[in-house]
Amino acid sequence: MHLVLCGTRGSTPAPGVAYARYGGQTSCVAVVSDDGACRLVLDAGTGLRRLPTALKGRPFSGSLLLTHLHWDHTHGLPFCTAIDNPEARTTLYLPEQSGGDAEEILARAMSPPHFPIRPRELRGTWDFLHLPVGAHHIEGFEVLALEIPHKGGRTFGYRVSDGKTSIAYLPDHSSISVGQGPDGLGAYHESALRLAGGVDVLIHDSQYTREEFAARAHFGHSTIDYAVGLGATAGARHVLLFHHDPQRSDEELDEIGVDWSGGPVPVTAAAEGAAIEVGAQPV
């Protein structure tokens, strides 16, 4: 399989020339199977608007997995022409939770007066479903969904495998919530290690530097150091730094890439629009 990084920014879009190379769109990753079809998408941030390019203009037919319901992971839904499309067929999964059916919960942030329409009014054929913790077979992939700590709502991390290669996707992760860990940046806890264990690519929340973390730990995100440390501890082959802080410029991300070039595991800062062949080196 390969990945298309449709959006790599965290918290809020970051438009402007200072963010042009790594991109300003929020979280969205398209997963493309060996047959060249994209039937699985991870998160629906504003980067979802890039999906038509990955689909070569075809309407989407497949499944969309949300890690959680924060705005930067859902705001692309009504603005993607491949999904809001009369010919599209989309099954949207959100982490299982109480308080109503899946569409009703999603509509709390996407319905009048906050937005002109509800999710069920999007064009095409839609199914809105709760996804429980555990192993699932979705669109030809084996998907492991586990709850990971993140502030402000139930959050899942995902491990996706096609039987030959695998990725782990943890774009929002407050690891310090389950312990300080070996260096005060968070514990390498059971769920994170299960998701990341031996994967070809670990895509992980890397919003803060070590120096920024003391003042921002309560925001619910991880450091670059934690992402790399988790990857090394879990035996991941490559770490893809993701969910970049909206203030982080291209030049700063270049410097981060250089700083970690000699780290314990190969590291790359995720760039919007990049296509990644999973299992190939380098990422």
Side-chain angles (χ1 to χ4, degrees):
M1 61 176 163
H2 73 269
L3 311 175
V4 178
L5 305 182
C6 297
T8 63
R9 192 66 55 171
S11 298
T12 182
V17 295
Y19 316 104
R21 286 188 289 109
Y22 289 92
Q25 305 282 4
T26 62
S27 300
C28 181
V29 175
V31 183
V32 182
S33 58
D34 284 346
D35 63 5
C38 174
R39 294 180 288 266
L40 182 66
V41 176
L42 306 175
D43 274 329
T46 60
L48 190 64
R49 295 172 60 246
R50 274 187 168 267
L51 185 61
T53 300
L55 294 173
K56 298 179 171 57
R58 296 185 297 271
F60 181 67
S61 181
S63 295
L64 175 55
L65 301 183
L66 301 183
T67 55
H68 61 306
L69 300 180
H70 290 172
W71 293 343
D72 55 326
H73 296 257
T74 61
H75 265 183
L77 275 173
F79 301 108
C80 174
T81 57
I83 283 185
D84 179 27
N85 185 305
E87 298 181 25
R89 302 180 63 88
T90 305
T91 301
L92 185 148
Y93 294 94
L94 55 86
E96 186 177 50
Q97 51 203 283
S98 59
D101 66 33
E103 194 272 345
E104 178 185 331
I105 292 171
L106 190 60
R108 292 175 190 171
M110 183 182 163
S111 62
H114 309 289
F115 195 75
I117 62 170
R118 294 176 61 98
R120 67 173 179 239
E121 295 176 86
L122 292 165
R123 291 171 294 180
T125 302
W126 287 82
D127 289 303
F128 300 94
L129 303 175
H130 288 285
L131 187 71
V133 165
H136 308 275
H137 187 73
I138 301 175
E139 304 296 346
F141 296 96
E142 297 303 319
V143 176
L144 177 63
L146 296 179
E147 187 168 0
I148 57 172
H150 178 53
K151 187 174 183 178
R154 195 178 199 202
T155 299
F156 281 0
Y158 294 115
R159 180 188 180 103
V160 179
S161 173
D162 65 357
K164 295 174 288 186
T165 56
S166 58
I167 66 165
Y169 180 68
L170 292 80
D172 288 50
H173 185 194
S174 179
S175 57
I176 202 165
S177 299
V178 289
Q180 294 292 313
D183 52 10
L185 300 177
Y188 302 136
H189 55 90
E190 180 182 357
S191 292
L193 291 169
R194 282 185 66 191
L195 291 168
V199 294
D200 292 284
V201 181
L202 168 60
I203 305 169
H204 197 281
D205 180 351
S206 308
Q207 187 144 343
Y208 302 127
T209 65
R210 175 187 289 266
E211 293 73 23
E212 294 165 346
F213 193 60
R216 302 184 186 181
H218 63 290
F219 289 174
H221 294 284
S222 296
T223 63
I224 297 159
D225 303 65
Y226 178 88
V228 176
L230 173 63
T233 301
R237 294 180 60 205
H238 206 111
V239 173
L240 198 61
L241 305 179
F242 195 78
H243 206 270
H244 307 309
D245 189 274
Q247 305 293 339
R248 191 88 60 218
S249 70
D250 288 343
E251 287 74 16
E252 289 170 321
L253 285 167
D254 285 343
E255 291 174 7
I256 287 167
V258 171
D259 290 344
W260 285 101
S261 60
V265 61
V267 175
T268 303
E272 182 182 320
I276 294 171
E277 190 73 29
V278 179
Q281 293 292 340
V283 168

